Each structure stands twice: as C-alpha cells, then as structure tokens.
C-alpha cells in the first residue's frame, strides 16, 4: 500500500456508496471517515482533518461545487469529485474550482484506488521536482531533461511547458481550459486546435500513440492525463 | 359595349355573364333605362349614317341596291345590341329607306307596286338578319362566359389539387368564389366531434359577416333543404347557402350574398358555384382523409415505439437486476456454504450485470437527450486517433476477446465535434460490431478524407445485415425484436445505433449500413463534414 493509514473523508449522501467505499478503502488500509452532507463534511474536515477528500457533486444540502469552493477557501487537501457521466462541463468546472481529480459514477474500485494513490503520492507541499522513468522514457522536470531510450529529446518551449504541467500532475487529469490558459493565456481558452496540434507533436517526440497512449491520455471533452506509472 | 378580352379576370368572367344574363332577362326590354337609351341612340346613329352613305352613293347605285346598305346597318346594330334594339333598327331603317329613297321621296307613301314588294321584302330581310345576327352574338357571349367559367373552375381545381390541408382548400375556394361570383362569401366547416359549424373563412375579411351567414347556414342545415331557392329566400333572404358534402357526409356550408341582395344568381352562375363547391368538398374530404391517415400512422408508430420501449425496459432492466439480486442474496444468505470460487463467480456476476445496467440506463438517457432536440453541441477540436485512444480501453473491458484494428492516416484532419458524443457514437458502433463479429476476427476502423468529408468505416466479419433491414437497424429498439427471436446470448438494447445516428446527425453527418468489403459482414459508414481549423497557428516560442 502506498500510504497506509492515510485518512480519507467521504462526503456523500448515499449511505450505500459510503458503506462500500468505507469497506473497500478500509480493506486497503485507509482510515475512513464519513459525512452525509456538505456542512457535516466541512465541519469534520475542519475538526478532524484528512489526507484526502472524496466529494459527491450531487449533495442534498449544498451544491457540491459550492462545498468545493468553501473547502478550497481554507484547505489544500486533495479532493476527488464523484460525478455522473455526460456532464463534461460539470467535471471541468469542478476541476477548475480546485478539485484534483474526478471519477464518474458508477466507478470501479480498482480505477478509483489508482486515482486515490496517485493523489496521495503527490503531496502538495512536496515541491521538489518530479522524475519520471519507465525504461523507455526519462523525464526530469528539475533538470529539464527528456530522454527517449537514452537519446535526449529536444522539445520546444511550449512542448516542454505542456509536458511539465502534465507530469507534475501525473495520474491526474488537467483540464483543457487550464492548459490553454497556462500555455497561451486567457484569451485562447477556446482555441482547442492549438492544444491538439501541440499534443500531437509532443506525442510523436515521446514515441507515444494517440490510439493506444502510454503517456498522454485524452479524456474526451475534459482534458489530458499523464498516465505513465513510474 | 364591345366586350374585349381584357386580362383582368374579374372583367373577363363577370362582364359577358352579366350581358348574357341581361340578354335573357331583358330581351323584351327590361334592360335598365340608361343602357336602353344608349342602345337606341346607337341604333338611330347607325341608321342616320346609312341614310347619309346612301345619299352619297345614290348616283352610282340603284334604289334596290341601297337596301343592302340599310341591311348592313341593321346587321351592325344586331350584333352589338339586344334583339329589341335590332327590331327597332330594322323598323327605323325601313322607314328611312322608304322616306328618303322610295318615290315619291320624303313621304311614307309608296307609288310603284314593285317598290312596295322591295320595301316589304327589305323589312322581312332586316328582321331575319337582325334576329340571326343577334342570336349569334348571344351564343358568342354565352360561349365566352362558359369559357370563363371553365377557366375559373380549372384554376380552382389546380389550387385544390395542391392544397395540403383543409385550410388551404377553404382559402382557394374562398378566393375563387369571391372572384367568380362577385359576392360576399363565408365558408363554415363542420366539426366532426361536435357536429357544429366552425372554422370560418370569409371574404371580404369582415367579422360581421359570419354570425349572419352562420344563422342562415344553420337554418339551412336544420331544415335539410335541397337547393330550393324559393324556400331559402323566404327564411334567409340575403344568404344563399350551398352544402359542402362528400360521400353523403356533411363537411360544412358555403354561404354567398350578392351585392344586389338577390337570393340566388342565374342558372349558369348557380351551376358554376355548385361545381366550385363540389370541387371544394372533394378536396376537403381528401385532405381530411390524409390528416386522418397521418394521425393513424403516427399513432401506430408511437404505439409500436411504446411497446418496444416497454418490452426493452422490462427485459433489459429486469434481467441484469434479477442476476444482481439473486447473486447478492446468495452471497448474503449462503455465504458460509459457498466455496471461495462460487463466491467469486457470484461477485463477478453482480459486477458484470451492474455494468450492463449502467450502459443501458446511459443509452436511455442519451436517447432522451437526443430525442428532445435539446442537445446543444459544444464543439472543440480533437483528433480521431485521440478519441479511439479514449474509447478503446472502455471497449476492451467490455468485449475483451475482440481485436480492434485501426487504420487512421497520420494526416487525417482534426474533427470539430463534441468529443464525448462522437466518442460515444463510435463506441456504440464498435460495441455492436464486436458483439456480432467472431471473436477470432478483428473489427476494423478506418478513416479517410473524401470530397470535403471525413469517412469513418467500421467493418465486422459477422453474419451481416440483410439489405431490407439495413435502414431499420438504426431504428430505436430495433434489435430487441431480433434479439428476442434469435439470440439472447447477445443482449442489446437496440438503442446503440439509433444513438449513433442521432449524434452523427446532430453534427451534420450521416450513418449508413453497407455490406462488408467482400460481401461478408457489415460495414457501418459514418460521414462527417470536414471543417478546416482556423488558419492562425499557435505561437511557438
């Protein structure tokens, strides 16, 4: 287990969802707290703290997005939001409001656990540069070096900016509007073709295949995710 | 008075008829005073001209020849006026001829016996000529009127033939009647449900006309009179009502009121009105029938869809639920008696069926969103290769044994679509292909740009789709019927391809099913318009 004993707070109004998450997360060695509403969740986070928050976007007392905004006002704890499918805009909004990742309901426990591990691995306070290495590809964000099968890869400035954004959020989705803002500025948020062209170039240089990605995964309508497991 | 064929239709249809009318009514001098005076003056003037001409021609012609001049004058008057005026002209010419040219001149006395015979024969000839010429004229006028009637009926017939609904039929009829009859027209339609007259159309468009006409029409309807004008006239003096009926069924009533408040027009106008009303009734019955047929068809279609939806919901929701409930209960109640393997199998069952239920519900939701037309497409640029990269893992989890072969050229243009929707559309087609393809044969997805369009072909090596069903596989719930008959082993909701079609159509594209390349299997061809990306390039460096 990556983070044995890490404390997870589940905020969801469905008792069945809380129960199965509690059982399966406990089985993996996490310590689980449950809250049935946004208010209760925020209170528990404030009083007892947590290493990670699982937040349902459809809560009865206050909108999940609002809970997220209030939470982000005073806490930087990693947050995974639970959302229903076919609402890409909602996902993007939650991610932009400070959520660290999302999972679509109904979700598989294995996929969910993988997201959880990825988030707990990257502690916000650990600002030290990440190094990625899988035998083919080596990315050192601190030294700004990318090697493919030992050969150095020359990246343009934008390609490098994109890669470092993705790698520093490895395992997590980075939204398209966020990438466009970071790379080209706020006036280019809708110029999605910029990103497509850049991603295609980057994939080619990394030896990645868009149809069967090993490194950069496209999440349709949401953003990009660096999936390489080091 | 000459009746030239003017282009103005009103004049063309009305004037000759009025004249013919006057011809019949007024041959014994009932014509209005002003017209009669004008015609008498005309006859007199023509006679005077004949006298002057004869005086000038007298030197070269004999007095018997001069009678021809006067006969011509009578003919002239006869072809242009009524019979009575022709007789007047004949008598006047006879007197003038006698007075001015027969010896002794300037008296009405006739000296020579031969001259008496000439003058009397002249009178007889003038009268006969006048009569014949006048009858010819009447016939020409009547022919013109008949022609105008036929023309009006023909025009109406053309308008009625193209009328799509009863409203158009009434509008066409209203216009034609108003023009041909020159009367105020009110059309009342019979409401089948309440058996009352409703749906009023009137010309000129005056709301005051309607209650008056309705009262007359209702009286008419109540008393069930045939076209007995006398009876009608007594009870509804100003309105002339014609029933609109076809096949023995009353469809409504047409009411006419003439400017001179006559109860009914002349027989030929009556015939024209009746022919027009008859044509309207036929067209009206036809449009009602078409409406009813369309209604029945839509109802049948709705009923079929409802039945399919019910059967789909009951089958596709209940079967996974039955497995889930049964497996979960077995696990919960008999856990201690089950081997670890059996427990694993039951848990697996719950998982698989739960996922199936999720897909089904998602399909229903997608369909509902598409069906309501509320789907707003948020487009962005995305590569087909990226979409495949996102959907293939999902597909592999679902149909692990089937291999998917991709043939996507590197220079394929970007798509400007809603990525999640197009991903779902491709997913549905691939899932369907994988379901029917033998597991040792790959399903291929190839793409190419062709004539400004992007063509995506998804081919399987399955049993194929018979030609007559290729269109229907995109119908909602279609595969349900097929699945029930043939194979429960390949469950489907029958929504996947319908959703794909809905999504692709919402993007301005189309989907067709074709036979596989060598006649085996099925190829689904998705065509999407290629939109060129903005020409501005991303700033590099």
């Amino acid at each position: 287990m990556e983070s044995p004993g890490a404390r997870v707070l589940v905020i969801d109004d469905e008792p069945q969802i809380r129960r199965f998450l509690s059982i399966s997360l406990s089985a993996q060695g996490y310590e689980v707290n449950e809250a049935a509403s946004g208010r209760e969740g925020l209170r528990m986070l404030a009083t007892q703290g947590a290493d990670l928050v699982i937040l349902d976007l459809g809560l009865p007392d206050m909108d999940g997005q609002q809970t997220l905004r209030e939470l982000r006002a005073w806490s930087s704890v990693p947050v995974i939001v639970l959302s229903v499918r076919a609402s890409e805009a909602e996902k993007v909004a939650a991610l932009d409001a400070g959520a660290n990742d999302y999972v679509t309901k109904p979700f598989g426990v294995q996929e969910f656990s993988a997201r959880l591990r990825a988030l707990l691995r990257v502690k916000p306070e650990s600002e030290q540069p990440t190094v990625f290495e899988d035998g083919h590809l080596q990315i050192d964000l601190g030294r700004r070096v990318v090697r493919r099968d030992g050969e150095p890869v020359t990246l343009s400035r934008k390609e490098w900016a994109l890669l470092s954004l993705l790698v520093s959020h490895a395992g997590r989705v980075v939204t398209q509007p966020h990438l466009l803002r970071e790379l080209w500025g706020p006036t280019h948020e809708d110029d999605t073709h910029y990103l497509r062209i850049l991603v295609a170039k980057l994939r080619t240089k990394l030896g990645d295949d868009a149809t069967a990605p090993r490194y950069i995964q496209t999440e349709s309508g949401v953003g990009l995710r660096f999936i390489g497991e080091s | 008075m000459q009746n030239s064929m003017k282009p103005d239709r009103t004049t063309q249809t009305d004037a000759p008829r009025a004249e013919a009318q006057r011809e019949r009514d007024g041959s014994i001098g009932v014509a209005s005073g002003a017209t009669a005076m004008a015609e008498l003056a005309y006859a007199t003037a023509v006679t005077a001209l004949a006298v002057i001409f004869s005086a000038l021609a007298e030197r070269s012609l004999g007095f018997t020849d001069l009678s021809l001049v006067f006969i011509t004058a009578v003919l002239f008057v006869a072809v242009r006026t009524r019979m009575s005026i022709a007789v007047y002209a004949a008598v006047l010419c006879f007197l003038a001829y006698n007075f001015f040219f027969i010896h002794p001149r300037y008296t009405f006395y006739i000296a020579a016996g031969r001259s008496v015979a000439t003058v009397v024969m002249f009178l007889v000839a003038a009268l006969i000529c006048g009569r014949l010429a006048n009858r010819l004229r009447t016939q020409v006028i009547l022919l013109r009127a008949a022609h105008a009637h036929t023309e009006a009926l023909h025009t109406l017939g053309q308008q009625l033939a193209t009328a799509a609904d009863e409203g158009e039929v009434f509008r066409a009829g209203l216009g034609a009647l108003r023009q041909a009859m020159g009367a105020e027209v009110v059309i009342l339609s019979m409401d089948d449900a309440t058996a009352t007259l409703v749906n009023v159309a009137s010309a000129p468009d005056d709301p005051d006309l309607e209650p008056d006409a309705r009262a007359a029409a209702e009286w008419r309807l109540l008393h069930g009179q045939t076209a007995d004008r006398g009876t009608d006239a007594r009870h509804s003096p100003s309105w002339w009502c014609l029933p609109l009926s076809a096949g023995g069924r009353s469809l409504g009533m047409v009411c006419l009121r003439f400017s001179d408040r006559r109860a009914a027009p002349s027989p030929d106008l009556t015939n024209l009105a009746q022919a027009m009303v008859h044509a309207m009734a036929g067209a009206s019955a036809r449009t009602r029938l078409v409406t009813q047929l369309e209604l029945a068809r839509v109802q049948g279609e709705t009923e079929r869809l409802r039945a399919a939806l019910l059967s789909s919901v009951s089958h596709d929701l209940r079967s996974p639920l039955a497995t889930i409930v049964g497996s979960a209960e077995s696990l919960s109640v008999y856990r201690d008696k089950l081997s670890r393997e059996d427990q694993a199998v039951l848990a697996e069952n719950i998982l698989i069926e739960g996922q199936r239920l999720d897909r089904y519900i998602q399909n229903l939701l997608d369909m509902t969103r598409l069906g309501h037309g509320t789907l707003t497409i948020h487009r962005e640029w995305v590569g087909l290769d990226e979409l495949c990269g996102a959907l293939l893992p999902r597909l592999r989890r679902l149909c692990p044994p089937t291999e998917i072969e991709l043939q996507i050229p590197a220079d394929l243009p970007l798509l400007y679509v809603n990525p999640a929707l197009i991903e779902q559309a491709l997913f549905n087609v691939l899932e369907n292909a994988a379901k029917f393809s033998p597991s040792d044969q790959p399903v291929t997805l190839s793409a190419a740009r062709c004539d400004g369009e992007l063509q995506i072909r998804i081919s399987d090596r399955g049993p194929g789709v018979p030609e007559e069903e290729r269109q229907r596989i995109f119908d909602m719930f279609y595969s349900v019927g097929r699945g029930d008959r043939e194979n429960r082993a390949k469950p489907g909701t029958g929504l996947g391809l319908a959703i794909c079609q809905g999504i692709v159509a919402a993007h301005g594209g189309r989907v067709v099913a074709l036979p596989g390349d060598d006649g085996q299997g099925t190829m689904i061809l998705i065509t999407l318009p290629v939109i060129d990306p903005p020409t501005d390039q991303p700033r590099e460096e």
Side-chain angles (χ1 to χ4, degrees), chain B residues 15 17 75 98 112 216 224 229 284 296 402 406-407 422 424 438:
Chain B
R17 199 177 308 108
L75 272 174
N98 184 358
R229 279 177 276 140
S284 172
T402 311
L406 298 177
Q407 293 161 10
I422 291 295
Q424 190 59 42

Side-chain angles (χ1 to χ4, degrees), chain B residues 1-316:
Chain B
M1 222 38 232
Q2 178 63 36
N3 228 322
S4 65
M5 293 294 265
K6 288 182 194 162
D8 179 16
R9 182 166 288 280
T10 314
T11 318
Q12 199 180 354
T13 47
D14 287 348
R17 199 177 308 108
E19 220 170 317
Q21 172 74 23
R22 208 165 48 236
E23 203 66 34
R24 286 199 203 142
D25 296 349
S27 53
I28 330 285
V30 190
S32 63
T35 324
M37 288 310 293
E39 282 175 345
L40 283 173
Y42 176 71
T44 313
V46 170
T47 310
L49 273 175
V51 169
I52 292 165
F53 184 81
S54 298
L56 293 174
E58 201 180 359
R59 285 184 199 128
S60 49
L61 295 173
F63 84 99
T64 43
D65 297 333
L66 290 179
S67 69
L68 290 177
V69 174
F70 284 98
I71 288 281
T72 310
V74 172
L75 272 174
F76 224 77
V77 174
V79 295
R80 277 173 170 72
T81 59
R82 287 172 290 134
M83 191 60 210
S84 49
I85 303 296
V87 169
Y88 164 77
V91 171
L92 195 66
C93 281
F94 159 72
L95 293 176
Y97 180 43
N98 184 358
F99 188 78
F100 290 110
F101 301 106
I102 308 279
H103 290 282
R105 289 191 176 205
Y106 312 115
T107 65
F108 291 111
Y109 174 74
I110 301 163
R114 228 179 99 226
S115 300
V116 174
T118 306
V119 174
V120 169
M121 276 169 70
F122 167 80
L123 182 61
V124 171
L127 286 174
I128 290 172
C129 278
R131 171 99 186 113
L132 284 178
N134 196 257
R135 191 183 291 168
L136 188 70
R137 170 174 178 270
T138 310
Q139 270 169 3
V140 166
I141 288 168
L142 283 176
L143 261 177
R144 260 183 214 152
H147 176 72
H149 288 186
T150 314
E151 192 99 316
L153 261 179
H154 178 68
T155 311
L156 177 65
Q158 278 180 332
Q159 285 172 344
L160 291 178
T162 54
D165 56 40
E166 207 168 24
E168 271 181 49
V169 168
F170 285 165
R171 275 194 295 282
L174 199 68
L177 279 168
R178 172 103 179 112
Q179 208 162 51
M181 316 297 289
E184 291 166 321
V185 187
V186 174
I187 298 177
L188 299 152
S189 164
M190 178 67 84
D191 185 61
D192 286 339
T194 58
T196 49
L197 292 167
V198 287
N199 193 7
V200 184
S202 63
D205 197 13
D206 182 358
D208 294 340
L209 286 179
E210 186 248 318
D212 208 9
R214 185 193 292 273
E218 274 165 2
W219 185 90
R220 181 63 216 282
L221 203 66
L222 198 67
H223 292 75
Q225 298 289 336
T226 50
D228 180 2
R229 279 177 276 140
T231 321
D232 269 6
R234 203 169 60 237
H235 292 274
S236 49
S238 50
W239 287 95
W240 184 49
C241 298
L242 290 163
L244 201 59
S245 66
R249 231 172 49 121
S250 178
L251 300 173
M253 197 71 87
V254 176
C255 304
L256 300 167
R257 181 163 66 183
F258 297 92
S259 49
D260 54 5
R261 300 287 162 125
R262 264 177 297 155
S266 61
D268 56 338
L269 269 193
T270 304
N271 286 341
L272 176 65
Q274 276 170 347
M276 282 182 162
V277 169
H278 185 71
M280 276 169 63
S284 172
R286 174 180 63 80
T287 54
R288 281 195 189 195
L289 202 63
V290 167
T291 313
Q292 280 165 5
L293 279 177
E294 179 62 19
L295 204 67
R297 196 189 65 75
V298 169
Q299 271 170 355
E301 186 75 5
T302 312
E303 195 49 44
R304 194 185 67 75
L305 205 60
R306 211 168 64 90
L309 175 67
L310 272 180
S311 111
S312 165
V313 167
S314 59
H315 173 250
D316 292 282

Side-chain angles (χ1 to χ4, degrees), chain A residues 85 156 176 194 196 218 220, chain B residues 362 380 386 423 536 540:
Chain A
R85 204 160 82 207
S156 71
Q176 204 156 260
Y194 286 11
R196 297 273 82 84
T218 302
S220 300
Chain B
Q362 190 58 45
E380 50 188 66
E386 291 181 278
E423 186 191 316
D536 62 321
E540 189 61 55

Side-chain angles (χ1 to χ4, degrees), chain B residues 331-342:
Chain B
L331 270 181
S332 143
V333 178
Y334 305 113
R335 190 175 49 248
D336 300 339
K337 298 178 188 163
L338 295 171
S339 67
R340 288 186 77 83
E341 289 75 32
D342 287 345

Side-chain angles (χ1 to χ4, degrees), chain A residues 58-73:
Chain A
L59 288 172
D61 60 336
M62 50 198 285
D63 179 45
Q65 307 271 11
Q66 194 194 336
T67 311
L68 187 60
R69 277 194 299 277
E70 287 193 18
L71 184 151
R72 273 286 169 261

Side-chain angles (χ1 to χ4, degrees), chain A residues 92-132:
Chain A
V92 172
L95 290 168
D96 277 1
N100 298 74
D101 208 340
Y102 72 90
V103 177
T104 305
K105 279 191 201 174
F107 49 87
V109 178
Q110 292 177 60
E111 181 196 359
F112 184 68
S113 301
R115 301 283 168 81
L116 214 71
R117 283 199 300 277
L119 273 183
L120 286 169
R121 200 164 50 227
V122 190
K123 294 271 173 114
E125 60 266 31
S126 60
E127 294 289 342
Q128 77 267 26
T130 316
V131 176
F132 172 82

